[in-house]
Amino acid sequence: MDTGKVIIVTGAGGGMGKAVVAKLLGEGSTIVGLDMNKEAMKDIKDSKFVSQQVNLLDEEQVRDVFKATFSKFGRIDGLVNIAGIAQSATSIGDVSLEQWNRILSVNATGVFLTCKEAVHYMKKGGSGVIVNVGSVSVARPRPGLQSYIASKGAVEAFSRALAIEVSPDKIRVNVLHPGPADTNMLGQFSSVKQQEGGLNKEVFKNSVPLGELIQPDDIAEAVSYLVSDGSRMVTGASLHVDGGRGL
Ligand SMILES: NC(=O)c1ccc[n+]([C@@H]2O[C@H](COP(=O)([O-])OP(=O)(O)OC[C@H]3O[C@@H](n4cnc5c(N)ncnc54)[C@H](O)[C@@H]3O)[C@@H](O)[C@H]2O)c1
């Protein structure tokens, strides 16, 4: 099976990223995985997978990898922005400007830089699809995550703004908001004190109306839909995969 599609996935070495890459590879797409942690991508073994170590904060690296992908494959059909960093729950008075800037830079500026490149190449191809990962916390905040939530709110607003801008170019842009998900990141949302006591998954699980943590495969299913032609008339949308946490 070969969809003939070339899709760039950021955060490909992370919990959700690996599941998304596996799903899209299984459907027959070629995947270029970007992550600053190259080691984390080394167990993805597939002739249609290319891993690239990229720090999304480095504009030149981002520009180069999109250019190289387009030169090699002649097309970029999709971009799935999964890379991100958490915030350990902290009262605003204890958040430094440096911490705020770092979270905004990775989560929001990283999305801006990759989308900018993707749109450039998708216009050449005449169509494209972008999925940016936000967070249910934008709709349903937890205390102490103000910087993280601001960064994900920016992702949502930016995606909607970009969706209207690039609709005439047949490029779709959607946001996927996960709820508490069973990955390494989950424990990183707890305060430093809570983290010392170890991750209590039950607390997160109990906050989900459907009573379970979101699994990386749940995210992969939703991404698969959003990059497929089955969602051809869906753009500027926010899809919650959160077990009802946002309600
Ligand atoms: N896990 C959750 O409960 C949860 C809930 C809501 C939203 N999210 C969001 O889902 C996405 C994926 O999260 P995950 O749970 O798979 O986390 P993860 O920590 O397993 O994966 C994140 C990946 O992003 C990469 N990354 C971080 N900064 C980078 C940078 N500057 N350049 C390149 N790569 C970078 C990391 O190396 C890592 O592989 C994130 O955007 C996260 O904010 C997660």
Side-chain angles (χ1 to χ4, degrees), residues 14-16 35-36 54-56 82-83 133-134 148 152 178-179 181 183 185:
M16 293 182 199
D35 204 300
M36 63 190 293
V54 169
N55 182 347
L56 294 174
I82 304 176
V133 170
Y148 176 80
K152 293 300 190 177
T183 70
M185 186 181 279

Side-chain angles (χ1 to χ4, degrees), residues 57-74:
L57 297 180
D58 187 324
E59 185 176 15
E60 207 173 315
Q61 283 184 23
V62 172
R63 210 183 284 141
D64 287 352
V65 81
F66 275 81
K67 190 174 177 195
T69 301
F70 191 78
S71 302
K72 183 168 180 181
F73 299 107

Side-chain angles (χ1 to χ4, degrees), residues 89-191:
T90 313
S91 307
I92 188 164
D94 295 324
V95 178
S96 67
L97 177 61
E98 191 189 348
Q99 285 167 322
W100 162 271
N101 281 339
R102 189 166 125 56
I103 293 168
L104 268 287
S105 298
V106 176
N107 292 353
T109 309
V111 167
F112 159 71
L113 289 175
T114 53
C115 285
K116 183 176 173 182
E117 294 306 310
V119 164
H120 174 73
Y121 291 106
M122 286 171 179
K123 279 183 179 176
K124 288 180 190 281
S127 67
V129 57
I130 296 173
V131 181
N132 293 325
V133 170
S135 167
V136 68
S137 60
V138 175
R140 189 83 195 279
R142 287 182 199 274
L145 301 182
Q146 70 303 107
S147 313
Y148 176 80
I149 294 169
S151 73
K152 293 300 190 177
V155 169
E156 180 172 55
F158 169 77
S159 301
R160 285 170 53 81
L162 188 60
I164 192 67
E165 182 178 326
V166 299
S167 291
D169 303 297
K170 301 288 179 207
I171 300 171
R172 299 189 292 114
V173 188
N174 291 297
V175 190
L176 193 165
H177 291 300
D182 203 359
T183 70
N184 285 340
M185 186 181 279
L186 188 62
Q188 296 166 16
F189 291 111
S190 303
S191 67

